[in-house]
Amino acid sequence: MNGNQIQGLIGMVLTLGILLLLVLPSAVGAVRERRIDRQLREAGKRAGREQDQKSSSRSTVPSTATWYADGRRSKKFVSS
């Protein structure tokens, strides 16, 4: 190998190294996102199964805060 070939090889290796340093964070982030998505999917499946088991026959009644807020919303004035 002569001097020009060695310089070309060094330049190519440095260019590929810089490219790798630029791409690596996004690749790590993508892998992390996929792992989090998989965990959320599994947790959703587990929550769905638990919800089926914990079904209650009692009906839900709105809280006092909900009744108060509904009353306040209906008294808004409309400017013409």
Side-chain angles (χ1 to χ4, degrees), residues 4-15:
N4 287 338
Q5 289 175 330
I6 292 174
Q7 283 182 348
L9 182 63
I10 290 172
M12 187 174 60
V13 168
L14 284 175
T15 303

Side-chain angles (χ1 to χ4, degrees), residues 20-77:
L20 181 67
L21 286 175
L22 291 173
V23 170
L24 189 65
S26 62
V28 169
V31 169
R32 184 172 178 259
E33 288 290 325
R34 288 189 65 166
R35 180 178 50 93
I36 291 171
D37 288 343
R38 186 177 63 243
Q39 289 174 346
L40 287 173
R41 234 180 290 117
E42 290 172 359
K45 287 179 185 176
R46 271 187 261 133
R49 277 187 257 136
E50 289 174 5
Q51 212 173 34
D52 291 343
Q53 294 172 355
K54 292 182 178 179
S55 63
S56 174
S57 60
R58 194 178 114 193
S59 65
T60 57
V61 178
S63 68
T64 305
T66 305
W67 287 101
Y68 177 75
D70 285 341
R72 300 280 291 177
R73 273 190 225 113
S74 65
K75 293 180 183 176
K76 288 185 179 177
F77 292 99

